[in-house]
């Protein structure tokens, strides 16, 4: 099997697994009664994934990424809006790249 065929097979399998987990997850959750405890778990799980992504970027990033993260934290603390925080961080990083 050539390298190109292997790449396409890998992409197809990854897409199938991703689709399968999303569909199966939704199907399995249809059988579970959503209690306040389960709802709190699901909400915090999304936050923990975001924190893991940001922590990885901060650990591997430089001064620009860390500054953008601090801006996002400050905007989030003031506005309580995740969209505003992400937008401010992206604008900071983009402006930094454009100006420097």
């Amino acid at each position: 099997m050539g390298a190109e065929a292997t790449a396409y097979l890998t992409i197809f399998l990854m897409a199938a697994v991703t689709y399968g987990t999303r569909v199966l997850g939704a199907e399995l959750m249809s059988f579970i009664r959503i209690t306040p405890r389960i709802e709190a778990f699901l909400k915090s799980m999304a936050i923990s994934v975001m924190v893991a992504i940001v922590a990885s970027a901060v650990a591997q990033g430089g001064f620009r990424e860390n500054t953008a993260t601090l801006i996002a934290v400050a905007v989030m603390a003031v506005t309580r809006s995740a969209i505003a925080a992400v937008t401010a961080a992206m604008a900071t990083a983009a402006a930094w790249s454009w100006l420097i």
Side-chain angles (χ1 to χ4, degrees):
M1 182 179 296
E4 188 173 322
T6 302
Y8 283 125
L9 179 63
T10 302
I11 292 169
F12 173 76
L13 289 175
M14 290 173 60
V17 168
T18 301
Y19 178 75
T21 56
R22 290 181 183 263
V23 170
L24 186 58
E27 184 65 27
L28 289 175
M29 285 304 291
S30 69
F31 295 109
I32 296 175
R33 191 171 64 93
I34 303 297
T35 64
R37 188 171 182 171
I38 291 175
E39 186 175 353
F41 167 76
L42 292 173
K43 285 181 181 178
S44 65
M45 187 171 57
I47 293 169
S48 66
V49 169
M50 180 65 82
V51 168
I53 292 169
V54 170
S56 174
V58 167
Q60 295 176 3
F63 190 66
R64 178 185 73 159
E65 290 82 5
N66 294 340
T67 302
T69 302
L70 288 174
I71 295 287
V73 168
V75 170
M76 185 68 181
V78 171
T79 65
R80 299 284 186 211
S81 169
I83 299 296
V86 169
T87 303
M90 288 182 358
T92 301
W96 190 300
S97 296
W98 185 66
L99 295 173
I100 296 178

